[in-house]
Amino acid sequence: MSANKNINTVQDYEDVLAAMEGYVHGLKTGNVAELKKTFHKDAIMYGHLGSDLSQGSIDNLYTYVEKFGAAPNIKTNLTVLHKTPTTAVVRIEMEHDAADENFTDFHSLIKIDGDWKVVAKLFHLYDK
């Protein structure tokens, strides 16, 4: 019966969401050091900002947060789209970031030494 073991417990999902809450709280407070705890040091991000493609290092996110600061009015909805014992994909619907923009983010996570880390962020910016 070991083939019928549940590999996706509620606690597993809560652990993934807890990692992503660090991201949301880092955005809300404008705390880049907290954001860095969520992402792998070599994480990447891609998405369009208007007609421009933002691409490359997650350092682009840290620069954005340093430029615009805290987002005290940010609203988010987090959904774990799927996970395995070592990988997960999370969608974040976000309204009113520090620049008062609205985004949908998709984050790819990997579990390393027991900790969930984001290795890739894809985002879509909506028109106002």
Side-chain angles (χ1 to χ4, degrees):
M1 280 307 227
S2 63
N4 193 31
K5 184 179 177 187
N6 183 2
I7 63 168
N8 290 306
T9 66
V10 171
Q11 184 63 54
D12 292 336
Y13 282 92
E14 289 176 354
D15 290 347
V16 170
L17 290 173
M20 295 313 303
E21 285 293 338
Y23 168 68
V24 171
H25 192 260
L27 293 175
K28 189 170 196 157
T29 60
N31 186 331
V32 172
E34 186 171 4
L35 286 173
K36 287 182 177 181
K37 292 177 185 175
T38 303
F39 292 89
H40 186 276
K41 65 178 178 57
D42 296 322
I44 57 171
M45 63 182 283
Y46 283 81
H48 286 93
L49 295 171
S51 60
D52 296 327
L53 177 63
S54 176
Q55 57 186 329
S57 169
I58 199 65
D59 289 341
N60 292 325
L61 172 66
Y62 307 147
T63 300
Y64 181 89
V65 172
E66 287 169 349
K67 177 179 178 182
F68 291 102
N73 299 319
I74 195 168
K75 292 183 178 180
T76 58
N77 179 278
L78 286 69
T79 305
V80 178
L81 298 177
H82 194 66
K83 67 164 289 306
T84 69
T86 59
T87 62
V89 177
V90 175
R91 179 187 63 220
I92 301 178
E93 299 294 343
M94 187 180 327
E95 297 174 355
H96 307 293
D97 79 346
D100 199 30
E101 300 287 0
N102 301 328
F103 290 90
T104 296
D105 284 2
F106 295 94
H107 294 256
S108 296
L109 293 85
I110 189 162
K111 195 171 191 178
I112 302 172
D113 297 329
D115 293 325
W116 289 101
K117 295 289 182 184
V118 176
V119 294
K121 167 188 163 127
L122 294 173
F123 65 89
H124 176 85
L125 169 65
Y126 295 98
D127 293 335
K128 290 187 176 180

